[in-house]
Amino acid sequence: MSRRGVLVGLLLSLTGCTTGPSLENQGAVTASPGDSKHLTIGSAGFTESDLLAQMYAQLLNQAGYKTSMLTVANRELYEPALESGQIDVVPEYAATFADWLNAKTNGPDAPPVGSPDLNATMAALRKLATPRGLTVLAPGRAVDQNAFAVTGAYARDHHLKTLSDLGRSGLKVRLAAGDECVQRPYCEPGLKKRYGIDITAVDPKGVGTTQAKRAVQRGQDQMVLTTTTDATLDGFGLVLLADDKHLQNADYIVPVVNRGRAGGAGVTKALGKLNDVLTTADLASMNQQVDSWRRLPADVARTYLKDKSLLK
């Protein structure tokens, strides 16, 4: 059976157990850095993850590796496969992955370890990842965080560029977001406590959904919870307000690799080239090309890497 076939069988049969290294020695390095020349790149199945996985694969191909792609939309499945070496490289988000591994290791009620502080978040993430045989490579400049947007007209009329500006304005704000926003510290409670924003109600239309954006566009709501790489804001006449007091966690994009198969200097060097150029705005633009212009992620990734002189 092919390696891909073995992986598909593994993913179909997993029920929460892992085949990764023992966690008896928390913080111990459990495998020597490996440098397999045949690597499987994992994607979580949404546009941005597909784009990142394609860029990883193309950079690794140029560096002399042979790669295959596998989409596994459920982190509960692809993370154990990453530990076992059935997937070798996957794009992740620093704070989110740190909190996920923390809950897996220490229980669902463990205090979060992800925070707005990137250095603290990365330290916590690496401490959790290392005993699982995973290496977390350096983060780049691109970050996909929760973000808040208003209409361009609303921002101009009230001289708003930041969330602090909105708090100082004293404006009453109806927020289009997910229904969990009323409890999440990064959402309604945080906006009130850190910025002093007068949230009068949360309109439960989801995070960055078309329905939520239209509600703000039409003036039913004044602000929408979305993400920093949302590629559709211009189409709704929306602009982001800067999170100038750093309410949101440091969800910088980081490659995570199986140390025993992809922890060597070759992979680190190949993927590190992307860190020097990829920005949040670049990701938003590429997301738009796939979601709105119907271009293939592989083609968008290749064009971007060539434009940045990372591919020949």
PDB file of all heavy atoms in Angstrom, residues 204-228:
ATOM      1  N   PRO A 204     -26.165  37.880  16.477  1.00  0.00           N
ATOM      2  CA  PRO A 204     -25.510  36.582  16.223  1.00  0.00           C
ATOM      3  C   PRO A 204     -25.596  36.133  14.769  1.00  0.00           C
ATOM      4  O   PRO A 204     -26.340  35.219  14.411  1.00  0.00           O
ATOM      5  CB  PRO A 204     -26.267  35.627  17.150  1.00  0.00           C
ATOM      6  CG  PRO A 204     -27.638  36.215  17.249  1.00  0.00           C
ATOM      7  CD  PRO A 204     -27.446  37.715  17.208  1.00  0.00           C
ATOM      8  N   LYS A 205     -24.806  36.750  13.929  1.00  0.00           N
ATOM      9  CA  LYS A 205     -24.805  36.426  12.505  1.00  0.00           C
ATOM     10  C   LYS A 205     -23.542  35.685  12.064  1.00  0.00           C
ATOM     11  O   LYS A 205     -23.346  35.447  10.877  1.00  0.00           O
ATOM     12  CB  LYS A 205     -24.983  37.706  11.679  1.00  0.00           C
ATOM     13  CG  LYS A 205     -26.409  38.264  11.701  1.00  0.00           C
ATOM     14  CD  LYS A 205     -26.549  39.459  10.773  1.00  0.00           C
ATOM     15  CE  LYS A 205     -28.020  39.780  10.486  1.00  0.00           C
ATOM     16  NZ  LYS A 205     -28.778  40.091  11.686  1.00  0.00           N
ATOM     17  N   GLY A 206     -22.660  35.344  13.005  1.00  0.00           N
ATOM     18  CA  GLY A 206     -21.466  34.586  12.655  1.00  0.00           C
ATOM     19  C   GLY A 206     -20.244  35.469  12.492  1.00  0.00           C
ATOM     20  O   GLY A 206     -20.334  36.697  12.446  1.00  0.00           O
ATOM     21  N   VAL A 207     -19.085  34.821  12.389  1.00  0.00           N
ATOM     22  CA  VAL A 207     -17.813  35.532  12.270  1.00  0.00           C
ATOM     23  C   VAL A 207     -17.488  35.758  10.796  1.00  0.00           C
ATOM     24  O   VAL A 207     -17.213  34.807  10.060  1.00  0.00           O
ATOM     25  CB  VAL A 207     -16.672  34.737  12.940  1.00  0.00           C
ATOM     26  CG1 VAL A 207     -15.343  35.466  12.772  1.00  0.00           C
ATOM     27  CG2 VAL A 207     -16.985  34.501  14.408  1.00  0.00           C
ATOM     28  N   GLY A 208     -17.536  36.996  10.371  1.00  0.00           N
ATOM     29  CA  GLY A 208     -17.162  37.348   9.011  1.00  0.00           C
ATOM     30  C   GLY A 208     -18.059  36.792   7.929  1.00  0.00           C
ATOM     31  O   GLY A 208     -17.655  36.707   6.766  1.00  0.00           O
ATOM     32  N   THR A 209     -19.284  36.424   8.263  1.00  0.00           N
ATOM     33  CA  THR A 209     -20.193  35.879   7.257  1.00  0.00           C
ATOM     34  C   THR A 209     -20.727  36.993   6.363  1.00  0.00           C
ATOM     35  O   THR A 209     -20.719  38.181   6.716  1.00  0.00           O
ATOM     36  CB  THR A 209     -21.387  35.167   7.908  1.00  0.00           C
ATOM     37  OG1 THR A 209     -22.142  36.129   8.657  1.00  0.00           O
ATOM     38  CG2 THR A 209     -20.915  34.046   8.837  1.00  0.00           C
ATOM     39  N   THR A 210     -21.214  36.600   5.202  1.00  0.00           N
ATOM     40  CA  THR A 210     -21.823  37.569   4.291  1.00  0.00           C
ATOM     41  C   THR A 210     -22.994  38.271   4.965  1.00  0.00           C
ATOM     42  O   THR A 210     -23.163  39.497   4.843  1.00  0.00           O
ATOM     43  CB  THR A 210     -22.294  36.866   3.006  1.00  0.00           C
ATOM     44  OG1 THR A 210     -21.150  36.323   2.330  1.00  0.00           O
ATOM     45  CG2 THR A 210     -23.019  37.827   2.086  1.00  0.00           C
ATOM     46  N   GLN A 211     -23.793  37.511   5.702  1.00  0.00           N
ATOM     47  CA  GLN A 211     -24.945  38.083   6.405  1.00  0.00           C
ATOM     48  C   GLN A 211     -24.502  39.141   7.408  1.00  0.00           C
ATOM     49  O   GLN A 211     -25.110  40.209   7.513  1.00  0.00           O
ATOM     50  CB  GLN A 211     -25.713  36.962   7.113  1.00  0.00           C
ATOM     51  CG  GLN A 211     -26.989  37.417   7.805  1.00  0.00           C
ATOM     52  CD  GLN A 211     -27.646  36.284   8.581  1.00  0.00           C
ATOM     53  OE1 GLN A 211     -26.997  35.308   8.939  1.00  0.00           O
ATOM     54  NE2 GLN A 211     -28.940  36.422   8.851  1.00  0.00           N
ATOM     55  N   ALA A 212     -23.432  38.859   8.128  1.00  0.00           N
ATOM     56  CA  ALA A 212     -22.942  39.810   9.127  1.00  0.00           C
ATOM     57  C   ALA A 212     -22.424  41.081   8.468  1.00  0.00           C
ATOM     58  O   ALA A 212     -22.692  42.205   8.932  1.00  0.00           O
ATOM     59  CB  ALA A 212     -21.838  39.163   9.957  1.00  0.00           C
ATOM     60  N   LYS A 213     -21.694  40.937   7.391  1.00  0.00           N
ATOM     61  CA  LYS A 213     -21.139  42.109   6.701  1.00  0.00           C
ATOM     62  C   LYS A 213     -22.243  42.959   6.074  1.00  0.00           C
ATOM     63  O   LYS A 213     -22.175  44.194   6.088  1.00  0.00           O
ATOM     64  CB  LYS A 213     -20.138  41.660   5.641  1.00  0.00           C
ATOM     65  CG  LYS A 213     -18.869  41.057   6.225  1.00  0.00           C
ATOM     66  CD  LYS A 213     -18.031  40.437   5.127  1.00  0.00           C
ATOM     67  CE  LYS A 213     -16.944  39.575   5.718  1.00  0.00           C
ATOM     68  NZ  LYS A 213     -16.263  38.755   4.716  1.00  0.00           N
ATOM     69  N   ARG A 214     -23.252  42.299   5.540  1.00  0.00           N
ATOM     70  CA  ARG A 214     -24.364  43.062   4.954  1.00  0.00           C
ATOM     71  C   ARG A 214     -25.129  43.832   6.022  1.00  0.00           C
ATOM     72  O   ARG A 214     -25.623  44.936   5.766  1.00  0.00           O
ATOM     73  CB  ARG A 214     -25.300  42.110   4.207  1.00  0.00           C
ATOM     74  CG  ARG A 214     -24.745  41.686   2.852  1.00  0.00           C
ATOM     75  CD  ARG A 214     -25.665  40.734   2.134  1.00  0.00           C
ATOM     76  NE  ARG A 214     -25.139  40.383   0.816  1.00  0.00           N
ATOM     77  CZ  ARG A 214     -25.530  39.338   0.113  1.00  0.00           C
ATOM     78  NH1 ARG A 214     -26.458  38.519   0.602  1.00  0.00           N
ATOM     79  NH2 ARG A 214     -25.004  39.095  -1.080  1.00  0.00           N
ATOM     80  N   ALA A 215     -25.218  43.264   7.219  1.00  0.00           N
ATOM     81  CA  ALA A 215     -25.906  43.961   8.307  1.00  0.00           C
ATOM     82  C   ALA A 215     -25.188  45.272   8.646  1.00  0.00           C
ATOM     83  O   ALA A 215     -25.826  46.291   8.936  1.00  0.00           O
ATOM     84  CB  ALA A 215     -25.998  43.062   9.534  1.00  0.00           C
ATOM     85  N   VAL A 216     -23.855  45.241   8.612  1.00  0.00           N
ATOM     86  CA  VAL A 216     -23.088  46.458   8.862  1.00  0.00           C
ATOM     87  C   VAL A 216     -23.170  47.395   7.664  1.00  0.00           C
ATOM     88  O   VAL A 216     -23.347  48.617   7.811  1.00  0.00           O
ATOM     89  CB  VAL A 216     -21.617  46.115   9.186  1.00  0.00           C
ATOM     90  CG1 VAL A 216     -20.781  47.381   9.353  1.00  0.00           C
ATOM     91  CG2 VAL A 216     -21.543  45.269  10.453  1.00  0.00           C
ATOM     92  N   GLN A 217     -23.074  46.848   6.483  1.00  0.00           N
ATOM     93  CA  GLN A 217     -23.168  47.650   5.263  1.00  0.00           C
ATOM     94  C   GLN A 217     -24.482  48.427   5.200  1.00  0.00           C
ATOM     95  O   GLN A 217     -24.519  49.594   4.786  1.00  0.00           O
ATOM     96  CB  GLN A 217     -23.051  46.723   4.046  1.00  0.00           C
ATOM     97  CG  GLN A 217     -23.058  47.427   2.695  1.00  0.00           C
ATOM     98  CD  GLN A 217     -23.019  46.425   1.550  1.00  0.00           C
ATOM     99  OE1 GLN A 217     -23.663  45.376   1.613  1.00  0.00           O
ATOM    100  NE2 GLN A 217     -22.244  46.717   0.523  1.00  0.00           N
ATOM    101  N   ARG A 218     -25.567  47.801   5.664  1.00  0.00           N
ATOM    102  CA  ARG A 218     -26.894  48.426   5.614  1.00  0.00           C
ATOM    103  C   ARG A 218     -27.198  49.285   6.823  1.00  0.00           C
ATOM    104  O   ARG A 218     -28.266  49.917   6.885  1.00  0.00           O
ATOM    105  CB  ARG A 218     -27.955  47.327   5.480  1.00  0.00           C
ATOM    106  CG  ARG A 218     -27.876  46.558   4.162  1.00  0.00           C
ATOM    107  CD  ARG A 218     -28.734  45.301   4.216  1.00  0.00           C
ATOM    108  NE  ARG A 218     -28.662  44.557   2.969  1.00  0.00           N
ATOM    109  CZ  ARG A 218     -29.109  43.321   2.803  1.00  0.00           C
ATOM    110  NH1 ARG A 218     -29.653  42.680   3.842  1.00  0.00           N
ATOM    111  NH2 ARG A 218     -29.006  42.719   1.636  1.00  0.00           N
ATOM    112  N   GLY A 219     -26.298  49.287   7.816  1.00  0.00           N
ATOM    113  CA  GLY A 219     -26.506  50.115   8.992  1.00  0.00           C
ATOM    114  C   GLY A 219     -27.318  49.467  10.093  1.00  0.00           C
ATOM    115  O   GLY A 219     -27.606  50.115  11.107  1.00  0.00           O
ATOM    116  N   GLN A 220     -27.703  48.199   9.917  1.00  0.00           N
ATOM    117  CA  GLN A 220     -28.408  47.499  10.999  1.00  0.00           C
ATOM    118  C   GLN A 220     -27.482  47.299  12.198  1.00  0.00           C
ATOM    119  O   GLN A 220     -27.904  47.379  13.345  1.00  0.00           O
ATOM    120  CB  GLN A 220     -28.907  46.138  10.505  1.00  0.00           C
ATOM    121  CG  GLN A 220     -29.909  46.202   9.369  1.00  0.00           C
ATOM    122  CD  GLN A 220     -30.113  44.841   8.733  1.00  0.00           C
ATOM    123  OE1 GLN A 220     -29.911  44.645   7.535  1.00  0.00           O
ATOM    124  NE2 GLN A 220     -30.500  43.870   9.550  1.00  0.00           N
ATOM    125  N   ASP A 221     -26.214  46.998  11.911  1.00  0.00           N
ATOM    126  CA  ASP A 221     -25.168  46.893  12.923  1.00  0.00           C
ATOM    127  C   ASP A 221     -24.079  47.892  12.569  1.00  0.00           C
ATOM    128  O   ASP A 221     -23.975  48.342  11.417  1.00  0.00           O
ATOM    129  CB  ASP A 221     -24.594  45.470  12.972  1.00  0.00           C
ATOM    130  CG  ASP A 221     -25.649  44.419  13.304  1.00  0.00           C
ATOM    131  OD1 ASP A 221     -26.588  44.748  14.062  1.00  0.00           O
ATOM    132  OD2 ASP A 221     -25.531  43.286  12.808  1.00  0.00           O
ATOM    133  N   GLN A 222     -23.247  48.225  13.549  1.00  0.00           N
ATOM    134  CA  GLN A 222     -22.200  49.206  13.293  1.00  0.00           C
ATOM    135  C   GLN A 222     -20.821  48.581  13.098  1.00  0.00           C
ATOM    136  O   GLN A 222     -19.930  49.211  12.525  1.00  0.00           O
ATOM    137  CB  GLN A 222     -22.120  50.222  14.451  1.00  0.00           C
ATOM    138  CG  GLN A 222     -23.251  51.214  14.483  1.00  0.00           C
ATOM    139  CD  GLN A 222     -24.563  50.563  14.898  1.00  0.00           C
ATOM    140  OE1 GLN A 222     -24.637  49.898  15.925  1.00  0.00           O
ATOM    141  NE2 GLN A 222     -25.595  50.754  14.079  1.00  0.00           N
ATOM    142  N   MET A 223     -20.636  47.354  13.567  1.00  0.00           N
ATOM    143  CA  MET A 223     -19.310  46.730  13.480  1.00  0.00           C
ATOM    144  C   MET A 223     -19.468  45.225  13.337  1.00  0.00           C
ATOM    145  O   MET A 223     -20.435  44.647  13.832  1.00  0.00           O
ATOM    146  CB  MET A 223     -18.490  47.074  14.741  1.00  0.00           C
ATOM    147  CG  MET A 223     -17.034  46.662  14.673  1.00  0.00           C
ATOM    148  SD  MET A 223     -15.998  47.505  15.909  1.00  0.00           S
ATOM    149  CE  MET A 223     -16.621  46.800  17.438  1.00  0.00           C
ATOM    150  N   VAL A 224     -18.487  44.592  12.666  1.00  0.00           N
ATOM    151  CA  VAL A 224     -18.528  43.150  12.440  1.00  0.00           C
ATOM    152  C   VAL A 224     -17.223  42.516  12.897  1.00  0.00           C
ATOM    153  O   VAL A 224     -16.139  43.082  12.705  1.00  0.00           O
ATOM    154  CB  VAL A 224     -18.798  42.825  10.951  1.00  0.00           C
ATOM    155  CG1 VAL A 224     -17.722  43.403  10.041  1.00  0.00           C
ATOM    156  CG2 VAL A 224     -18.941  41.322  10.725  1.00  0.00           C
ATOM    157  N   LEU A 225     -17.323  41.362  13.519  1.00  0.00           N
ATOM    158  CA  LEU A 225     -16.158  40.550  13.846  1.00  0.00           C
ATOM    159  C   LEU A 225     -15.780  39.733  12.623  1.00  0.00           C
ATOM    160  O   LEU A 225     -16.585  38.977  12.085  1.00  0.00           O
ATOM    161  CB  LEU A 225     -16.463  39.619  15.018  1.00  0.00           C
ATOM    162  CG  LEU A 225     -15.409  38.555  15.344  1.00  0.00           C
ATOM    163  CD1 LEU A 225     -14.082  39.184  15.728  1.00  0.00           C
ATOM    164  CD2 LEU A 225     -15.907  37.622  16.448  1.00  0.00           C
ATOM    165  N   THR A 226     -14.515  39.895  12.173  1.00  0.00           N
ATOM    166  CA  THR A 226     -14.022  39.153  11.012  1.00  0.00           C
ATOM    167  C   THR A 226     -12.580  38.737  11.303  1.00  0.00           C
ATOM    168  O   THR A 226     -12.239  38.468  12.446  1.00  0.00           O
ATOM    169  CB  THR A 226     -14.164  39.998   9.736  1.00  0.00           C
ATOM    170  OG1 THR A 226     -13.712  39.255   8.607  1.00  0.00           O
ATOM    171  CG2 THR A 226     -13.424  41.319   9.829  1.00  0.00           C
ATOM    172  N   THR A 227     -11.724  38.671  10.287  1.00  0.00           N
ATOM    173  CA  THR A 227     -10.318  38.316  10.490  1.00  0.00           C
ATOM    174  C   THR A 227      -9.425  39.267   9.702  1.00  0.00           C
ATOM    175  O   THR A 227      -9.871  39.924   8.757  1.00  0.00           O
ATOM    176  CB  THR A 227     -10.014  36.874  10.035  1.00  0.00           C
ATOM    177  OG1 THR A 227     -10.179  36.784   8.620  1.00  0.00           O
ATOM    178  CG2 THR A 227     -10.919  35.876  10.742  1.00  0.00           C
ATOM    179  N   THR A 228      -8.153  39.294  10.074  1.00  0.00           N
ATOM    180  CA  THR A 228      -7.224  40.215   9.429  1.00  0.00           C
ATOM    181  C   THR A 228      -6.924  39.847   7.983  1.00  0.00           C
ATOM    182  O   THR A 228      -6.391  40.676   7.234  1.00  0.00           O
ATOM    183  CB  THR A 228      -5.891  40.277  10.206  1.00  0.00           C
ATOM    184  OG1 THR A 228      -5.399  38.948  10.404  1.00  0.00           O
ATOM    185  CG2 THR A 228      -6.071  40.958  11.550  1.00  0.00           C
TER     186      THR A 228
END
